[in-house]
Amino acid sequence: MTARRPLIAGNWKMYKTVQEARDFAAEILELVDNVTDVDVAICAPFTALPVLKDELEESIVHIGAQNMYFETQGAFTGEISPLMLKDLACTFVILGHSERREYFKEDDVLIAKKVKTALDHGLTPILCVGENLTLRESGQAAAYVREQVEQDIHGLSPEEVKKIVVAYEPIWAIGTGRTASPQDAQDMCAAIRGTLTSLVGAVSSQVRILYGGSVKSGNIAELMSQPDIDGALVGGASLDVQEFAKMIHGVR
Ligand code: PGA
């Protein structure tokens, strides 16, 4: 049995206007206000964060961002700092998402700096790792993801690692409708926990590991019944408030 508290985090990506975010926030609160045994977070575009702060601060729905820079302030045109996220009541921040790695050329050295900075400012990083289809089909997925984890948490103490959330998101399953089988997802999440154990010891048993990639209300329960899967990072299906609420209720 696991003592890790489940976490369902929505990743809105580059969707929702301010008004759409406001409407969603009001509705989700009504739909999940009786939930006490699952952590819920919405990781929204920066422009939606102020309205989520207005609607959700102090509620059971946590607020998160999808990226941040590793400096607190300075001449970094276009970037957002951890202080700014804290100012908007964020408690989570997605870091190292495969879309950031692919389209914005983020590498593990940069991601490691961001993870460390997030922790220094009391934000919980949701660190994303995962292999592409070529690596999966050539049997290199586990080694690749191990390397990502090692580099992205490089230099962190066991106490720091305990506070992060890792999301295993196979790139071939993101937005494709093709979900990893519960067993494959479990195997990789167990491998990630094994990597954490080899790096920082027993605290790895306290780290929450999420699965992400085409999660929806129809498959979330089976994925989350796996021993090393502690929750889900949900993209497309988190945009629909009814579907998101269904997933939250579906894991309880
Ligand atoms: P998806 O995205 O649920 O739309 O596959 C997941 C993610 O990219 O976090």
Side-chain angles (χ1 to χ4, degrees):
M1 278 304 285
T2 168
R4 296 180 295 269
R5 202 173 145 81
L7 168 64
I8 309 295
N11 172 13
W12 281 357
K13 308 195 179 189
M14 199 173 72
Y15 290 97
K16 294 204 188 288
T17 61
V18 170
Q19 187 58 48
E20 287 166 347
R22 191 192 309 276
D23 293 345
F24 186 108
E27 280 180 70
I28 195 71
L29 273 187
E30 278 182 27
L31 293 167
V32 303
D33 67 347
N34 56 346
V35 171
T36 53
D37 45 3
V38 180
D39 284 342
V40 179
I42 296 172
C43 300
F46 297 130
T47 48
L49 295 176
V51 83
L52 293 191
K53 177 182 194 295
D54 288 348
E55 300 284 332
L56 300 176
E57 195 174 15
E58 310 292 335
S59 82
I60 69 136
V61 181
H62 299 274
I63 305 168
Q66 302 170 11
N67 182 31
M68 57 159 231
Y69 198 52
F70 63 80
E71 296 283 357
T72 47
Q73 59 179 13
F76 303 105
T77 302
E79 291 299 302
I80 297 283
S81 92
L83 296 183
M84 295 166 181
L85 297 185
K86 301 236 358 161
D87 207 19
L88 293 172
C90 286
T91 49
F92 288 90
V93 58
I94 296 174
L95 295 174
H97 190 280
S98 60
E99 287 149 16
R100 302 284 326 161
R101 293 176 190 257
E102 184 182 350
Y103 305 131
F104 305 100
K105 306 293 172 244
E106 293 200 8
D107 63 16
D108 291 304
V109 173
L110 176 66
I111 293 160
K113 284 185 189 169
K114 292 183 175 191
V115 170
K116 173 69 177 146
T117 306
L119 289 166
D120 287 348
H121 290 87
L123 291 161
T124 300
I126 302 179
L127 167 65
C128 300
V129 294
E131 80 287 355
N132 64 23
L133 193 56
T134 313
L135 288 161
R136 156 101 1 204
E137 286 177 342
S138 60
Q140 298 173 73
Y144 180 80
V145 169
R146 178 185 177 90
E147 179 80 21
Q148 282 185 316
V149 172
E150 281 176 1
Q151 292 193 37
D152 297 345
I153 67 167
H154 182 77
L156 298 185
S157 68
E159 279 309 300
E160 288 174 317
V161 171
K162 197 166 84 180
K163 294 183 192 144
I164 71 174
V165 173
V166 180
Y168 167 58
E169 297 205 308
I171 295 169
W172 46 271
I174 296 177
T176 58
R178 187 174 160 186
T179 320
S181 72
Q183 190 58 54
D184 282 348
Q186 159 59 23
D187 290 349
M188 286 297 285
C189 290
I192 289 169
R193 200 176 304 286
T195 300
L196 295 175
T197 307
S198 68
L199 294 170
V200 293
V203 298
S204 66
S205 67
Q206 296 174 52
V207 176
R208 288 189 287 189
I209 302 180
L210 315 182
Y211 168 78
S214 298
V215 177
K216 42 189 182 293
S217 59
N219 59 20
I220 194 166
E222 199 183 356
L223 286 160
M224 286 195 50
S225 67
Q226 304 298 317
D228 284 290
I229 301 181
D230 307 313
L233 182 56
V234 186
S238 74
L239 295 171
D240 180 289
V241 71
Q242 297 289 342
E243 173 70 0
F244 192 53
K246 211 165 156 187
M247 280 185 277
I248 293 159
H249 289 289
V251 301
R252 303 168 61 226

